[in-house]
Amino acid sequence: MEKKLKVAVLGATGSVGQKFIELLSNHPWFELTEVAASDRSSGKKYSEAVNWIMNTPLPEKVKEMIVQKCEPNLKSRLVFSALDSSVAGEIESEFADNGYFVVSNARNHRFDENVPLIIPEVNSEHLEIIKTNKKSGAIITNPNCSTIGLVMALKPLHDNFGLESVNVVTLQAVSGAGYPGLASLDIIDNVIPFISGEEGKMESEPLKILGELKNNTFDLAKIKISAQCNRVSVIDGHTECVQVKLKNMASAEEIIQVWESFSSPPQKLNLPSAPKQPIVYLYDEKYPQPKLHRNLERGMAVSVGRLRECSLFDYKFVVLSHNTVRGAAGGTLLISELMKAQGYLDKIL
Ligand code: NAP
């Protein structure tokens, strides 16, 4: 059996960091060997530093790990970043400058010139840009959690019919605000119609992801996108109500057909975290629902439902995806598996 690649998690004590630890506990290719976080946690045993909120037990091996500082002296050359964006920018650059491959969930480097913004099913070819990197390491970014669900559903429409404009209204889970996140009195029995910076990310990130990499520059897709983002009292799973205007009109049957038949490199390469069916169309008019569908395909599938004609745009539908799995830790693992399968990690093996 091939030796596992040693990996570290930066920001290992937070909401996304804990999800990494859970997903890495039996990973066939990666072995979690180091955890790092802020000065509040470093030097402590992980079990003492963390307030474990996953609903699976904290793995025995990780309990005893001593939390490191986020400094580029770790033994693992592949690091997953779940750092707060107030510190991620600088720390991730330091790691990349020192030869590490950093796969990040933070927003800071998503629009850097030679940093790809990857959804493995959508734009795996954008990884090519890291070959132009002058640093010895590289930063690879995972998009915003709501962007991922949206763009997964848009990709087959864009490829087959062309997208002219998109309107999206989100209903986002509280785990998306990190841990401890919002005060319970602010969110229980409530909807908060503002998530700082979120609408801008949802309007800009899809254009890079659905754009083309030409002569080592990203040519942004020309689609008009408008987003409104709301925080709702759901623990996990972001729901998005989407309206689309297509360049070439299609029937509802054709749209469902391109979603259901959507398949891409992660499925063809049979990557460990890849969902067999990346987009699951649910025919019951009450679906998708976060409580029922966020864990489809271990949280890696995006569910879509309620496709119907729209009197303002051409069609409207509802998308649901698990924000800390598909939208964060699971998405990052899938990027890293793709990089390993395509030889991008050979120099650190
Ligand atoms: P979180 O729960 O607040 O966790 C933040 C992590 O960053 C903790 O481990 C914290 O360590 C660490 N940290 C804070 N200040 C630090 C410093 N000065 N030096 C080193 N480490 C520091 O946040 P989260 O929700 O997990 O999000 C992590 C990142 O992923 C963010 O950039 C977020 O935008 C992004 N993201 C989140 C989601 C989601 O659904 N939650 C989805 C997609 C992307 P201590 O515990 O030691 O303070």
Side-chain angles (χ1 to χ4, degrees), residues 11-17 37-41 70 82-85 87 91 105-107 110 143-145 175-179 238 323-324 327-328:
T13 47
S15 167
V16 174
S38 78
D39 291 346
R40 290 180 287 279
S41 310
C70 292
L83 286 168
D84 188 82
S85 59
V87 294
I91 294 176
N105 288 287
R107 66 174 155 76
R110 287 180 186 151
N144 170 264
C145 42
S175 61
Y179 187 80
H238 290 350
N323 53 299
T324 61

PDB file of all heavy atoms in Angstrom, residues 11-17 37-41 70 82-85 87 91 105-107 110 143-145 175-179 238 323-324 327-328, ligand 1:
ATOM      1  N   GLY A  11      -5.614  26.476  11.852  1.00  0.00           N
ATOM      2  CA  GLY A  11      -6.969  26.869  12.282  1.00  0.00           C
ATOM      3  C   GLY A  11      -7.769  25.629  12.656  1.00  0.00           C
ATOM      4  O   GLY A  11      -8.981  25.560  12.438  1.00  0.00           O
ATOM      5  N   ALA A  12      -7.073  24.652  13.251  1.00  0.00           N
ATOM      6  CA  ALA A  12      -7.660  23.325  13.484  1.00  0.00           C
ATOM      7  C   ALA A  12      -8.731  23.314  14.567  1.00  0.00           C
ATOM      8  O   ALA A  12      -9.478  22.340  14.674  1.00  0.00           O
ATOM      9  CB  ALA A  12      -6.550  22.342  13.870  1.00  0.00           C
ATOM     10  N   THR A  13      -8.815  24.367  15.360  1.00  0.00           N
ATOM     11  CA  THR A  13      -9.775  24.373  16.477  1.00  0.00           C
ATOM     12  C   THR A  13     -11.140  24.961  16.105  1.00  0.00           C
ATOM     13  O   THR A  13     -12.074  24.869  16.898  1.00  0.00           O
ATOM     14  CB  THR A  13      -9.197  25.197  17.649  1.00  0.00           C
ATOM     15  OG1 THR A  13      -8.694  26.421  17.101  1.00  0.00           O
ATOM     16  CG2 THR A  13      -8.081  24.448  18.354  1.00  0.00           C
ATOM     17  N   GLY A  14     -11.253  25.576  14.941  1.00  0.00           N
ATOM     18  CA  GLY A  14     -12.500  26.261  14.574  1.00  0.00           C
ATOM     19  C   GLY A  14     -13.527  25.314  13.973  1.00  0.00           C
ATOM     20  O   GLY A  14     -13.346  24.083  13.966  1.00  0.00           O
ATOM     21  N   SER A  15     -14.587  25.892  13.466  1.00  0.00           N
ATOM     22  CA  SER A  15     -15.700  25.125  12.903  1.00  0.00           C
ATOM     23  C   SER A  15     -15.237  24.286  11.695  1.00  0.00           C
ATOM     24  O   SER A  15     -15.477  23.080  11.617  1.00  0.00           O
ATOM     25  CB  SER A  15     -16.778  26.155  12.535  1.00  0.00           C
ATOM     26  OG  SER A  15     -17.773  25.659  11.753  1.00  0.00           O
ATOM     27  N   VAL A  16     -14.533  24.914  10.774  1.00  0.00           N
ATOM     28  CA  VAL A  16     -14.052  24.194   9.586  1.00  0.00           C
ATOM     29  C   VAL A  16     -12.867  23.286   9.971  1.00  0.00           C
ATOM     30  O   VAL A  16     -12.757  22.143   9.499  1.00  0.00           O
ATOM     31  CB  VAL A  16     -13.636  25.200   8.480  1.00  0.00           C
ATOM     32  CG1 VAL A  16     -13.002  24.488   7.297  1.00  0.00           C
ATOM     33  CG2 VAL A  16     -14.857  25.995   8.027  1.00  0.00           C
ATOM     34  N   GLY A  17     -11.999  23.767  10.857  1.00  0.00           N
ATOM     35  CA  GLY A  17     -10.848  22.961  11.314  1.00  0.00           C
ATOM     36  C   GLY A  17     -11.309  21.641  11.905  1.00  0.00           C
ATOM     37  O   GLY A  17     -10.733  20.577  11.637  1.00  0.00           O
ATOM     38  N   ALA A  37      -3.026  26.447  15.535  1.00  0.00           N
ATOM     39  CA  ALA A  37      -4.066  27.470  15.736  1.00  0.00           C
ATOM     40  C   ALA A  37      -3.407  28.715  16.337  1.00  0.00           C
ATOM     41  O   ALA A  37      -2.188  28.925  16.186  1.00  0.00           O
ATOM     42  CB  ALA A  37      -5.196  26.919  16.602  1.00  0.00           C
ATOM     43  N   SER A  38      -4.193  29.535  17.033  1.00  0.00           N
ATOM     44  CA  SER A  38      -3.677  30.813  17.545  1.00  0.00           C
ATOM     45  C   SER A  38      -2.876  30.610  18.831  1.00  0.00           C
ATOM     46  O   SER A  38      -2.823  29.504  19.379  1.00  0.00           O
ATOM     47  CB  SER A  38      -4.845  31.757  17.837  1.00  0.00           C
ATOM     48  OG  SER A  38      -5.435  31.384  19.059  1.00  0.00           O
ATOM     49  N   ASP A  39      -2.328  31.705  19.342  1.00  0.00           N
ATOM     50  CA  ASP A  39      -1.585  31.646  20.613  1.00  0.00           C
ATOM     51  C   ASP A  39      -2.480  31.207  21.773  1.00  0.00           C
ATOM     52  O   ASP A  39      -1.999  30.729  22.782  1.00  0.00           O
ATOM     53  CB  ASP A  39      -0.988  33.025  20.941  1.00  0.00           C
ATOM     54  CG  ASP A  39       0.119  33.365  19.962  1.00  0.00           C
ATOM     55  OD1 ASP A  39       0.573  32.448  19.255  1.00  0.00           O
ATOM     56  OD2 ASP A  39       0.510  34.561  19.902  1.00  0.00           O
ATOM     57  N   ARG A  40      -3.798  31.401  21.612  1.00  0.00           N
ATOM     58  CA  ARG A  40      -4.717  30.965  22.679  1.00  0.00           C
ATOM     59  C   ARG A  40      -4.679  29.448  22.827  1.00  0.00           C
ATOM     60  O   ARG A  40      -4.905  28.913  23.904  1.00  0.00           O
ATOM     61  CB  ARG A  40      -6.170  31.362  22.318  1.00  0.00           C
ATOM     62  CG  ARG A  40      -6.456  32.831  22.379  1.00  0.00           C
ATOM     63  CD  ARG A  40      -7.919  33.103  22.006  1.00  0.00           C
ATOM     64  NE  ARG A  40      -8.162  32.934  20.571  1.00  0.00           N
ATOM     65  CZ  ARG A  40      -7.881  33.864  19.647  1.00  0.00           C
ATOM     66  NH1 ARG A  40      -7.372  35.024  20.017  1.00  0.00           N
ATOM     67  NH2 ARG A  40      -8.114  33.655  18.367  1.00  0.00           N
ATOM     68  N   SER A  41      -4.387  28.748  21.752  1.00  0.00           N
ATOM     69  CA  SER A  41      -4.460  27.277  21.747  1.00  0.00           C
ATOM     70  C   SER A  41      -3.089  26.611  21.699  1.00  0.00           C
ATOM     71  O   SER A  41      -2.946  25.468  22.159  1.00  0.00           O
ATOM     72  CB  SER A  41      -5.236  26.808  20.518  1.00  0.00           C
ATOM     73  OG  SER A  41      -6.453  27.497  20.414  1.00  0.00           O
ATOM     74  N   CYS A  70       1.013  28.731  14.104  1.00  0.00           N
ATOM     75  CA  CYS A  70       0.907  28.717  12.635  1.00  0.00           C
ATOM     76  C   CYS A  70       2.168  29.326  12.026  1.00  0.00           C
ATOM     77  O   CYS A  70       2.137  30.439  11.470  1.00  0.00           O
ATOM     78  CB  CYS A  70      -0.342  29.472  12.184  1.00  0.00           C
ATOM     79  SG  CYS A  70      -1.855  28.631  12.636  1.00  0.00           S
ATOM     80  N   ALA A  82      -7.803  26.574   7.604  1.00  0.00           N
ATOM     81  CA  ALA A  82      -9.161  26.923   8.061  1.00  0.00           C
ATOM     82  C   ALA A  82      -8.997  28.125   8.976  1.00  0.00           C
ATOM     83  O   ALA A  82      -9.643  28.219  10.015  1.00  0.00           O
ATOM     84  CB  ALA A  82      -9.780  25.742   8.784  1.00  0.00           C
ATOM     85  N   LEU A  83      -8.107  29.032   8.567  1.00  0.00           N
ATOM     86  CA  LEU A  83      -7.807  30.197   9.407  1.00  0.00           C
ATOM     87  C   LEU A  83      -8.831  31.299   9.219  1.00  0.00           C
ATOM     88  O   LEU A  83      -9.361  31.490   8.114  1.00  0.00           O
ATOM     89  CB  LEU A  83      -6.435  30.756   9.032  1.00  0.00           C
ATOM     90  CG  LEU A  83      -5.227  29.940   9.496  1.00  0.00           C
ATOM     91  CD1 LEU A  83      -3.961  30.446   8.817  1.00  0.00           C
ATOM     92  CD2 LEU A  83      -5.090  29.996  11.021  1.00  0.00           C
ATOM     93  N   ASP A  84      -9.028  32.032  10.270  1.00  0.00           N
ATOM     94  CA  ASP A  84      -9.863  33.222  10.206  1.00  0.00           C
ATOM     95  C   ASP A  84      -9.237  34.183   9.182  1.00  0.00           C
ATOM     96  O   ASP A  84      -8.007  34.334   9.128  1.00  0.00           O
ATOM     97  CB  ASP A  84      -9.870  33.849  11.606  1.00  0.00           C
ATOM     98  CG  ASP A  84     -10.868  34.960  11.678  1.00  0.00           C
ATOM     99  OD1 ASP A  84     -12.048  34.651  11.875  1.00  0.00           O
ATOM    100  OD2 ASP A  84     -10.472  36.132  11.510  1.00  0.00           O
ATOM    101  N   SER A  85     -10.087  34.844   8.401  1.00  0.00           N
ATOM    102  CA  SER A  85      -9.532  35.679   7.322  1.00  0.00           C
ATOM    103  C   SER A  85      -8.750  36.883   7.854  1.00  0.00           C
ATOM    104  O   SER A  85      -7.955  37.469   7.123  1.00  0.00           O
ATOM    105  CB  SER A  85     -10.643  36.133   6.390  1.00  0.00           C
ATOM    106  OG  SER A  85     -11.589  36.852   7.122  1.00  0.00           O
ATOM    107  N   VAL A  87      -6.312  36.744   9.711  1.00  0.00           N
ATOM    108  CA  VAL A  87      -4.891  36.364   9.814  1.00  0.00           C
ATOM    109  C   VAL A  87      -4.433  35.471   8.660  1.00  0.00           C
ATOM    110  O   VAL A  87      -3.226  35.287   8.446  1.00  0.00           O
ATOM    111  CB  VAL A  87      -4.601  35.631  11.151  1.00  0.00           C
ATOM    112  CG1 VAL A  87      -4.786  36.562  12.325  1.00  0.00           C
ATOM    113  CG2 VAL A  87      -5.482  34.389  11.324  1.00  0.00           C
ATOM    114  N   ILE A  91      -0.311  34.553   6.964  1.00  0.00           N
ATOM    115  CA  ILE A  91       0.200  33.229   7.369  1.00  0.00           C
ATOM    116  C   ILE A  91       0.308  32.311   6.148  1.00  0.00           C
ATOM    117  O   ILE A  91       1.321  31.636   5.938  1.00  0.00           O
ATOM    118  CB  ILE A  91      -0.708  32.593   8.451  1.00  0.00           C
ATOM    119  CG1 ILE A  91      -0.651  33.419   9.744  1.00  0.00           C
ATOM    120  CG2 ILE A  91      -0.303  31.152   8.729  1.00  0.00           C
ATOM    121  CD1 ILE A  91      -1.587  32.952  10.860  1.00  0.00           C
ATOM    122  N   ASN A 105      -9.347  27.784   2.737  1.00  0.00           N
ATOM    123  CA  ASN A 105     -10.776  28.135   2.749  1.00  0.00           C
ATOM    124  C   ASN A 105     -11.004  29.617   2.951  1.00  0.00           C
ATOM    125  O   ASN A 105     -12.145  30.068   2.937  1.00  0.00           O
ATOM    126  CB  ASN A 105     -11.467  27.389   3.897  1.00  0.00           C
ATOM    127  CG  ASN A 105     -11.568  25.935   3.563  1.00  0.00           C
ATOM    128  OD1 ASN A 105     -12.358  25.561   2.728  1.00  0.00           O
ATOM    129  ND2 ASN A 105     -10.716  25.135   4.161  1.00  0.00           N
ATOM    130  N   ALA A 106      -9.956  30.349   3.212  1.00  0.00           N
ATOM    131  CA  ALA A 106     -10.122  31.768   3.528  1.00  0.00           C
ATOM    132  C   ALA A 106     -10.209  32.585   2.233  1.00  0.00           C
ATOM    133  O   ALA A 106      -9.727  32.180   1.186  1.00  0.00           O
ATOM    134  CB  ALA A 106      -8.952  32.240   4.380  1.00  0.00           C
ATOM    135  N   ARG A 107     -10.800  33.757   2.354  1.00  0.00           N
ATOM    136  CA  ARG A 107     -11.069  34.565   1.155  1.00  0.00           C
ATOM    137  C   ARG A 107      -9.838  35.303   0.624  1.00  0.00           C
ATOM    138  O   ARG A 107      -9.793  35.716  -0.521  1.00  0.00           O
ATOM    139  CB  ARG A 107     -12.159  35.582   1.467  1.00  0.00           C
ATOM    140  CG  ARG A 107     -11.753  36.632   2.477  1.00  0.00           C
ATOM    141  CD  ARG A 107     -12.828  37.703   2.643  1.00  0.00           C
ATOM    142  NE  ARG A 107     -12.769  38.366   3.919  1.00  0.00           N
ATOM    143  CZ  ARG A 107     -11.870  39.291   4.255  1.00  0.00           C
ATOM    144  NH1 ARG A 107     -10.949  39.680   3.382  1.00  0.00           N
ATOM    145  NH2 ARG A 107     -11.881  39.821   5.453  1.00  0.00           N
ATOM    146  N   ARG A 110      -8.037  34.604  -2.895  1.00  0.00           N
ATOM    147  CA  ARG A 110      -8.839  34.021  -3.989  1.00  0.00           C
ATOM    148  C   ARG A 110      -8.675  34.743  -5.324  1.00  0.00           C
ATOM    149  O   ARG A 110      -8.835  34.136  -6.373  1.00  0.00           O
ATOM    150  CB  ARG A 110     -10.337  34.006  -3.602  1.00  0.00           C
ATOM    151  CG  ARG A 110     -10.660  32.950  -2.560  1.00  0.00           C
ATOM    152  CD  ARG A 110     -12.115  32.942  -2.179  1.00  0.00           C
ATOM    153  NE  ARG A 110     -12.351  32.008  -1.081  1.00  0.00           N
ATOM    154  CZ  ARG A 110     -13.312  32.132  -0.183  1.00  0.00           C
ATOM    155  NH1 ARG A 110     -14.159  33.131  -0.244  1.00  0.00           N
ATOM    156  NH2 ARG A 110     -13.446  31.246   0.781  1.00  0.00           N
ATOM    157  N   PRO A 143     -13.516  28.140  -3.011  1.00  0.00           N
ATOM    158  CA  PRO A 143     -14.398  29.316  -2.991  1.00  0.00           C
ATOM    159  C   PRO A 143     -15.238  29.425  -1.713  1.00  0.00           C
ATOM    160  O   PRO A 143     -15.274  28.507  -0.895  1.00  0.00           O
ATOM    161  CB  PRO A 143     -15.318  29.091  -4.195  1.00  0.00           C
ATOM    162  CG  PRO A 143     -14.650  28.044  -5.018  1.00  0.00           C
ATOM    163  CD  PRO A 143     -13.859  27.198  -4.072  1.00  0.00           C
ATOM    164  N   ASN A 144     -15.924  30.526  -1.593  1.00  0.00           N
ATOM    165  CA  ASN A 144     -16.907  30.759  -0.533  1.00  0.00           C
ATOM    166  C   ASN A 144     -17.936  29.605  -0.532  1.00  0.00           C
ATOM    167  O   ASN A 144     -18.290  29.091  -1.593  1.00  0.00           O
ATOM    168  CB  ASN A 144     -17.573  32.104  -0.845  1.00  0.00           C
ATOM    169  CG  ASN A 144     -18.767  32.363   0.014  1.00  0.00           C
ATOM    170  OD1 ASN A 144     -19.894  32.111  -0.373  1.00  0.00           O
ATOM    171  ND2 ASN A 144     -18.527  32.864   1.193  1.00  0.00           N
ATOM    172  N   CYS A 145     -18.412  29.273   0.661  1.00  0.00           N
ATOM    173  CA  CYS A 145     -19.312  28.109   0.788  1.00  0.00           C
ATOM    174  C   CYS A 145     -20.600  28.238  -0.046  1.00  0.00           C
ATOM    175  O   CYS A 145     -21.071  27.253  -0.620  1.00  0.00           O
ATOM    176  CB  CYS A 145     -19.639  27.861   2.258  1.00  0.00           C
ATOM    177  SG  CYS A 145     -19.956  29.362   3.176  1.00  0.00           S
ATOM    178  N   SER A 175     -23.495  27.574  11.217  1.00  0.00           N
ATOM    179  CA  SER A 175     -22.110  27.082  11.284  1.00  0.00           C
ATOM    180  C   SER A 175     -21.220  27.842  10.302  1.00  0.00           C
ATOM    181  O   SER A 175     -19.993  27.844  10.444  1.00  0.00           O
ATOM    182  CB  SER A 175     -22.037  25.580  11.013  1.00  0.00           C
ATOM    183  OG  SER A 175     -22.517  25.300   9.717  1.00  0.00           O
ATOM    184  N   GLY A 176     -21.822  28.501   9.332  1.00  0.00           N
ATOM    185  CA  GLY A 176     -21.057  29.309   8.387  1.00  0.00           C
ATOM    186  C   GLY A 176     -20.424  30.526   9.034  1.00  0.00           C
ATOM    187  O   GLY A 176     -19.514  31.137   8.470  1.00  0.00           O
ATOM    188  N   ALA A 177     -20.887  30.884  10.220  1.00  0.00           N
ATOM    189  CA  ALA A 177     -20.314  32.050  10.908  1.00  0.00           C
ATOM    190  C   ALA A 177     -19.185  31.638  11.843  1.00  0.00           C
ATOM    191  O   ALA A 177     -18.704  32.456  12.636  1.00  0.00           O
ATOM    192  CB  ALA A 177     -21.409  32.782  11.677  1.00  0.00           C
ATOM    193  N   GLY A 178     -18.745  30.382  11.780  1.00  0.00           N
ATOM    194  CA  GLY A 178     -17.632  29.934  12.610  1.00  0.00           C
ATOM    195  C   GLY A 178     -18.068  29.633  14.033  1.00  0.00           C
ATOM    196  O   GLY A 178     -19.253  29.682  14.358  1.00  0.00           O
ATOM    197  N   TYR A 179     -17.072  29.294  14.871  1.00  0.00           N
ATOM    198  CA  TYR A 179     -17.375  28.974  16.267  1.00  0.00           C
ATOM    199  C   TYR A 179     -16.714  29.994  17.187  1.00  0.00           C
ATOM    200  O   TYR A 179     -15.553  30.303  16.964  1.00  0.00           O
ATOM    201  CB  TYR A 179     -16.876  27.553  16.610  1.00  0.00           C
ATOM    202  CG  TYR A 179     -17.334  27.170  17.997  1.00  0.00           C
ATOM    203  CD1 TYR A 179     -18.626  26.714  18.212  1.00  0.00           C
ATOM    204  CD2 TYR A 179     -16.486  27.340  19.086  1.00  0.00           C
ATOM    205  CE1 TYR A 179     -19.068  26.431  19.486  1.00  0.00           C
ATOM    206  CE2 TYR A 179     -16.928  27.058  20.365  1.00  0.00           C
ATOM    207  CZ  TYR A 179     -18.218  26.603  20.561  1.00  0.00           C
ATOM    208  OH  TYR A 179     -18.662  26.338  21.818  1.00  0.00           O
ATOM    209  N   HIS A 238     -26.458  25.316   3.489  1.00  0.00           N
ATOM    210  CA  HIS A 238     -26.899  26.582   2.904  1.00  0.00           C
ATOM    211  C   HIS A 238     -27.914  26.300   1.779  1.00  0.00           C
ATOM    212  O   HIS A 238     -27.645  25.523   0.862  1.00  0.00           O
ATOM    213  CB  HIS A 238     -25.716  27.341   2.293  1.00  0.00           C
ATOM    214  CG  HIS A 238     -24.748  27.896   3.296  1.00  0.00           C
ATOM    215  ND1 HIS A 238     -24.975  27.926   4.653  1.00  0.00           N
ATOM    216  CD2 HIS A 238     -23.523  28.470   3.111  1.00  0.00           C
ATOM    217  CE1 HIS A 238     -23.941  28.495   5.268  1.00  0.00           C
ATOM    218  NE2 HIS A 238     -23.048  28.826   4.353  1.00  0.00           N
ATOM    219  N   ASN A 323     -22.378  23.409   4.039  1.00  0.00           N
ATOM    220  CA  ASN A 323     -21.369  24.489   4.009  1.00  0.00           C
ATOM    221  C   ASN A 323     -20.016  24.117   4.597  1.00  0.00           C
ATOM    222  O   ASN A 323     -18.993  24.580   4.103  1.00  0.00           O
ATOM    223  CB  ASN A 323     -21.917  25.739   4.708  1.00  0.00           C
ATOM    224  CG  ASN A 323     -22.437  25.475   6.090  1.00  0.00           C
ATOM    225  OD1 ASN A 323     -23.371  24.704   6.263  1.00  0.00           O
ATOM    226  ND2 ASN A 323     -21.839  26.100   7.084  1.00  0.00           N
ATOM    227  N   THR A 324     -19.966  23.270   5.650  1.00  0.00           N
ATOM    228  CA  THR A 324     -18.622  22.972   6.181  1.00  0.00           C
ATOM    229  C   THR A 324     -18.004  21.745   5.512  1.00  0.00           C
ATOM    230  O   THR A 324     -16.806  21.530   5.608  1.00  0.00           O
ATOM    231  CB  THR A 324     -18.622  22.771   7.723  1.00  0.00           C
ATOM    232  OG1 THR A 324     -19.454  21.665   8.046  1.00  0.00           O
ATOM    233  CG2 THR A 324     -19.068  24.009   8.450  1.00  0.00           C
ATOM    234  N   GLY A 327     -18.767  22.872   1.136  1.00  0.00           N
ATOM    235  CA  GLY A 327     -18.388  24.279   1.042  1.00  0.00           C
ATOM    236  C   GLY A 327     -17.080  24.628   1.730  1.00  0.00           C
ATOM    237  O   GLY A 327     -16.637  25.773   1.667  1.00  0.00           O
ATOM    238  N   ALA A 328     -16.440  23.683   2.389  1.00  0.00           N
ATOM    239  CA  ALA A 328     -15.182  24.023   3.080  1.00  0.00           C
ATOM    240  C   ALA A 328     -14.263  22.790   3.134  1.00  0.00           C
ATOM    241  O   ALA A 328     -13.617  22.467   2.144  1.00  0.00           O
ATOM    242  CB  ALA A 328     -15.470  24.595   4.462  1.00  0.00           C
TER     243      ALA A 328
HETATM  244  P1  NAP B   1     -13.670  29.821  13.240  1.00  0.00           P
HETATM  245  O1  NAP B   1     -14.571  28.771  13.775  1.00  0.00           O
HETATM  246  O2  NAP B   1     -13.757  31.186  13.806  1.00  0.00           O
HETATM  247  O3  NAP B   1     -12.136  29.297  13.394  1.00  0.00           O
HETATM  248  C1  NAP B   1     -11.033  30.130  13.131  1.00  0.00           C
HETATM  249  C2  NAP B   1      -9.718  29.395  13.369  1.00  0.00           C
HETATM  250  O4  NAP B   1      -8.655  30.353  13.143  1.00  0.00           O
HETATM  251  C3  NAP B   1      -9.532  28.850  14.798  1.00  0.00           C
HETATM  252  O5  NAP B   1      -8.844  27.635  14.750  1.00  0.00           O
HETATM  253  C4  NAP B   1      -8.634  29.915  15.457  1.00  0.00           C
HETATM  254  O6  NAP B   1      -7.808  29.390  16.480  1.00  0.00           O
HETATM  255  C5  NAP B   1      -7.772  30.324  14.273  1.00  0.00           C
HETATM  256  N1  NAP B   1      -7.180  31.644  14.504  1.00  0.00           N
HETATM  257  C6  NAP B   1      -7.809  32.798  14.860  1.00  0.00           C
HETATM  258  N2  NAP B   1      -6.906  33.804  15.035  1.00  0.00           N
HETATM  259  C7  NAP B   1      -5.689  33.260  14.800  1.00  0.00           C
HETATM  260  C8  NAP B   1      -4.355  33.779  14.824  1.00  0.00           C
HETATM  261  N3  NAP B   1      -4.098  35.045  15.153  1.00  0.00           N
HETATM  262  N4  NAP B   1      -3.333  32.933  14.522  1.00  0.00           N
HETATM  263  C9  NAP B   1      -3.581  31.636  14.199  1.00  0.00           C
HETATM  264  N5  NAP B   1      -4.816  31.078  14.172  1.00  0.00           N
HETATM  265  C10 NAP B   1      -5.859  31.897  14.464  1.00  0.00           C
HETATM  266  O7  NAP B   1     -13.867  29.984  11.667  1.00  0.00           O
HETATM  267  P2  NAP B   1     -14.427  28.901  10.585  1.00  0.00           P
HETATM  268  O8  NAP B   1     -15.874  29.068  10.393  1.00  0.00           O
HETATM  269  O9  NAP B   1     -13.864  27.576  10.921  1.00  0.00           O
HETATM  270  O10 NAP B   1     -13.772  29.455   9.252  1.00  0.00           O
HETATM  271  C11 NAP B   1     -12.400  29.275   8.936  1.00  0.00           C
HETATM  272  C12 NAP B   1     -12.132  29.873   7.583  1.00  0.00           C
HETATM  273  O11 NAP B   1     -12.891  29.168   6.597  1.00  0.00           O
HETATM  274  C13 NAP B   1     -12.549  31.346   7.475  1.00  0.00           C
HETATM  275  O12 NAP B   1     -11.621  32.026   6.675  1.00  0.00           O
HETATM  276  C14 NAP B   1     -13.927  31.253   6.839  1.00  0.00           C
HETATM  277  O13 NAP B   1     -14.278  32.420   6.144  1.00  0.00           O
HETATM  278  C15 NAP B   1     -13.762  30.065   5.917  1.00  0.00           C
HETATM  279  N6  NAP B   1     -14.982  29.314   5.591  1.00  0.00           N
HETATM  280  C16 NAP B   1     -15.861  28.947   6.565  1.00  0.00           C
HETATM  281  C17 NAP B   1     -16.977  28.187   6.211  1.00  0.00           C
HETATM  282  C18 NAP B   1     -17.996  27.741   7.233  1.00  0.00           C
HETATM  283  O14 NAP B   1     -19.030  27.180   6.810  1.00  0.00           O
HETATM  284  N7  NAP B   1     -17.781  27.920   8.525  1.00  0.00           N
HETATM  285  C19 NAP B   1     -17.178  27.788   4.914  1.00  0.00           C
HETATM  286  C20 NAP B   1     -16.253  28.171   3.943  1.00  0.00           C
HETATM  287  C21 NAP B   1     -15.157  28.922   4.306  1.00  0.00           C
HETATM  288  P3  NAP B   1      -8.139  29.554  18.069  1.00  0.00           P
HETATM  289  O15 NAP B   1      -9.233  28.567  18.380  1.00  0.00           O
HETATM  290  O16 NAP B   1      -6.841  29.188  18.704  1.00  0.00           O
HETATM  291  O17 NAP B   1      -8.563  30.952  18.288  1.00  0.00           O
END
